Amino acid sequence: MSKCFFIILFLAPYIVGFAPQDSSYTEWQIGAGSGQYTYEDCSGEHTSHFYDAGFRVTTKFKSPWRLGASISAIPSNERLVVFGYPDFAYDNGFFSLGTTGLRVGYLERTFFEIKCLDEIPYTTGRGLFRIGMGTPITQNGTCIWMGANVGVYQSWGFGTSLEFPLQANYSLSLTGRYGEHNSIPEYGISLGLKFRR
């Protein structure tokens, strides 16, 4: 059974008629947002509002490898917490597996993913950890992603992101999420800009 699954996974691009994507690119992304999460201490449950911003750069080589890094900043207790994370993955276009998680399907088509720390800003973007699907909804490249995410939020919540092109190599993304922890709202919203060459 497991051999059959891996054979189908390997042949899937050819079964459904997708052409292999052997292009290379470099992508820059900036983003910022704000949100609310819950936390607990000795006096009970409370909410905290926060802001975050980040920057990411990734290069996909013609060989099936992708290399990049991201950094995000969150003000916390009158301090600025800055955190960075690498992006190193085997990425043949249809299939990606690396430090930021797993994706099956072309980004230009419908795809499924389980990801962590790959979209900035980390928390008000698609969440520190997420699972979901993305698909184009117009011929000009507008794409919608829907799924669930968590972190810094206490509980999983519904997340969605709409990305649409401004010019040939520029796109704008609007991301939002909503969840509840013990009937207390946990939410986030962010705006991002991507440039690819």
Side-chain angles (χ1 to χ4, degrees):
M1 182 68 180
S2 60
K3 286 183 180 179
C4 181
F5 171 77
F6 285 111
I7 290 171
I8 291 172
L9 181 64
F10 178 76
L11 294 177
Y14 307 100
I15 295 171
V16 298
F18 292 162
Q21 304 283 314
D22 193 26
S23 61
S24 62
Y25 61 83
T26 298
E27 184 175 86
W28 290 271
Q29 179 183 3
I30 59 171
S34 67
Q36 172 182 285
Y37 66 93
T38 66
Y39 68 94
E40 298 179 33
D41 61 18
C42 296
S43 62
E45 290 184 318
H46 309 278
T47 61
S48 179
H49 292 271
F50 67 96
Y51 303 91
D52 64 342
F55 172 78
R56 179 178 71 92
V57 60
T58 297
T59 297
K60 167 67 173 69
F61 300 96
K62 286 200 172 181
S63 61
W65 298 103
R66 190 181 72 239
L67 181 64
S70 56
I71 188 169
S72 195
I74 306 173
S76 176
N77 297 327
E78 300 181 358
R79 294 182 304 159
L80 186 65
V81 178
V82 179
F83 182 74
Y85 193 72
D87 178 15
F88 177 68
Y90 173 83
D91 187 343
N92 69 3
F94 177 78
F95 175 81
S96 171
L97 178 64
T99 58
T100 56
L102 167 72
R103 186 194 78 244
V104 178
Y106 291 118
L107 290 172
E108 298 82 6
R109 310 286 181 103
T110 300
F111 60 91
F112 168 80
E113 61 184 6
I114 302 173
K115 292 282 196 164
C116 67
L117 295 169
D118 75 315
E119 286 283 333
I120 55 93
Y122 289 148
T123 53
T124 58
R126 297 184 193 179
L128 293 179
F129 302 96
R130 73 173 192 269
I131 182 171
M133 295 183 67
T135 188
I137 55 175
T138 65
Q139 292 184 345
N140 69 349
T142 300
C143 179
I144 190 169
W145 179 91
M146 291 185 293
N149 61 24
V150 68
V152 295
Y153 315 102
Q154 295 291 327
S155 300
W156 286 86
F158 171 75
T160 187
S161 180
L162 184 65
E163 182 175 328
F164 52 93
L166 299 176
Q167 294 181 356
N169 296 322
Y170 290 88
S171 63
L172 188 68
S173 62
L174 178 63
T175 302
R177 72 95 64 187
Y178 183 84
E180 289 187 352
H181 179 70
N182 293 337
S183 301
I184 300 174
E186 294 190 310
Y187 55 84
I189 188 167
S190 66
L191 193 64
L193 179 67
K194 289 183 181 178
F195 170 70
R196 178 181 288 195
R197 68 170 179 83

